[in-house]
Amino acid sequence: MEQVYAESTGPTTINTVNPSNENKKMKESFREKLRCGKSQIGTIITLPCPETAEILSDAGFDFLFIDTEHAPLSIQDVQHILQTVQHKCPCIVRAPLHNEIWIKRILDTGPDGIVVPLVNSAEEAARAVSFCRYPPEGKRSVGIARAHRYGEKFSEYIDSANSAVAVIVQAEHIDAVRNIDSIVTVKGIDGIFIGPYDLSGSMGMTGKVNTPEVREAVRKVHTTCLNAGIPAGIFGIDSDAGARYIGQKYSFIAAGMDILFLGEKAREIIEKLNK
Ligand code: 3PY
Ligand code: MG
């Protein structure tokens, strides 16, 4: 699924952050691929079930987007999913809101990246980044957890986390569209993920993601990211929606969702057998 869209924007770092990568040949991390302009196709995990994540990582997605914003996943569920699949498939985790406590607890489970929803201004983006980076770059609190191999890799993790964990903020409100020129200048953002659904809601067209107005707002965010050299990502609800973004220089696309795959396939079988 990899396509290279741009030349490298800087030196790549060794990925020591993924706790499952130790003693293995280091693969390029999610963040390194973002920085090199390689496109990645992932999907959204909403079921608190490592087996589902395992099936979807085996299916060939480049990354998994684990969602604690709209799904009943606890921090422990997130950690179990990471323990099961992260060694073979990078995982980024969406926090429920831009909240320091949620962000630090998620980061301590050791994901490859964090997604912060509903970031509508440069100030909010800067605050989100500060929660994700250890001092002096930010104010992430220091604990000992899975991310640090339960203490064994404490120093290695502390030294590498700021440059290895991807920090992605979501542009998914018309205010974020209005403020996108300043949001892209915030230091420490590794990517901007467009949420067409919340965006449509903020424009009074909830769920109508294909209206010209919503498409234009998406285009504005995307173009501004491209011009600023910030990797842009987007959610596509199914393969058709995802396909629309392929070839449009999106760096990461989250296509589909575990529960949708399950329901669609189940209905297809029932329909066929009932005929
Ligand atoms: C949205 O469309 O609002 C999203 O956040 C997609 O994940
Ligand atoms: Mg959203």
Side-chain angles (χ1 to χ4, degrees):
M1 282 304 178
E2 273 176 23
Q3 266 176 294
V4 179
Y5 286 135
E7 292 301 308
S8 171
T9 51
T12 55
T13 50
I14 299 295
N15 174 27
T16 57
V17 74
N18 179 332
S20 311
N21 273 351
E22 57 188 331
N23 302 330
K24 298 209 180 95
K25 197 167 180 291
M26 295 299 176
K27 286 198 284 188
E28 227 177 354
S29 73
F30 179 81
R31 184 174 184 266
E32 286 159 4
K33 285 185 182 168
L34 282 185
R35 286 170 66 83
C36 295
K38 288 180 182 165
S39 77
Q40 304 179 73
I41 297 174
T43 195
I44 298 193
I45 300 289
T46 69
L47 293 171
C49 172
E51 289 80 1
T52 310
E54 203 169 24
I55 292 166
L56 293 176
S57 74
D58 288 349
F61 286 105
D62 298 317
F63 70 94
L64 298 181
F65 178 121
I66 303 168
D67 191 13
T68 70
E69 185 193 13
H70 289 294
L73 275 82
S74 66
I75 295 287
Q76 194 167 29
D77 295 324
V78 169
Q79 182 152 293
H80 286 162
I81 292 172
L82 296 178
Q83 286 166 333
T84 307
V85 298
Q86 196 185 14
H87 63 283
K88 53 184 175 179
C89 185
C91 296
I92 60 176
V93 181
R94 175 160 65 183
L97 70 170
H98 41 89
N99 167 279
E100 185 170 10
I101 296 169
W102 269 100
I103 290 175
K104 71 178 165 187
R105 296 192 73 208
I106 288 171
L107 287 174
D108 279 349
T109 66
D112 298 275
I114 185 145
V115 182
V116 184
L118 276 171
V119 171
N120 295 341
S121 66
E123 293 72 32
E124 285 179 2
R127 192 150 12 102
V129 170
S130 80
F131 296 155
C132 301
R133 303 290 188 216
Y134 285 124
E137 286 165 49
K139 52 180 283 202
R140 177 176 170 189
S141 165
V142 180
I144 303 176
R146 178 177 182 269
H148 321 75
R149 270 334 268 171
Y150 310 102
E152 197 205 338
K153 303 277 179 191
F154 179 76
S155 305
E156 265 172 82
Y157 182 80
I158 296 284
D159 291 347
S160 65
N162 281 359
S163 60
V165 179
V167 176
I168 292 156
V169 298
Q170 276 200 261
E172 52 175 351
H173 191 282
I174 193 63
D175 289 344
V177 179
R178 291 187 188 114
N179 293 327
I180 195 65
D181 287 330
S182 55
I183 293 174
V184 295
T185 66
V186 173
K187 201 162 170 273
I189 293 178
D190 295 306
I192 292 189
F193 184 71
I194 303 171
Y197 284 86
D198 276 314
L199 180 57
S200 68
S202 75
M203 297 172 74
M205 304 172 195
T206 308
K208 298 188 174 51
V209 297
N210 290 318
T211 58
E213 294 87 343
V214 176
R215 282 197 179 195
E216 174 53 26
V218 167
R219 194 200 56 76
K220 182 178 173 198
V221 173
H222 184 210
T223 310
T224 309
C225 288
L226 286 178
N227 291 340
I230 299 286
I234 191 159
F235 170 65
I237 197 152
D238 54 20
S239 53
D240 287 343
R244 189 173 330 119
Y245 304 121
I246 298 285
Q248 283 189 30
K249 298 194 178 178
Y250 278 99
S251 300
F252 56 115
I253 297 171
M257 203 179 274
D258 52 6
I259 47 176
L260 296 178
F261 299 144
L262 198 57
E264 273 159 28
K265 229 31 203 175
R267 283 189 296 274
E268 187 187 303
I269 286 173
I270 295 286
E271 235 170 70
K272 269 193 192 156
L273 299 189
N274 276 342
K275 262 186 196 161

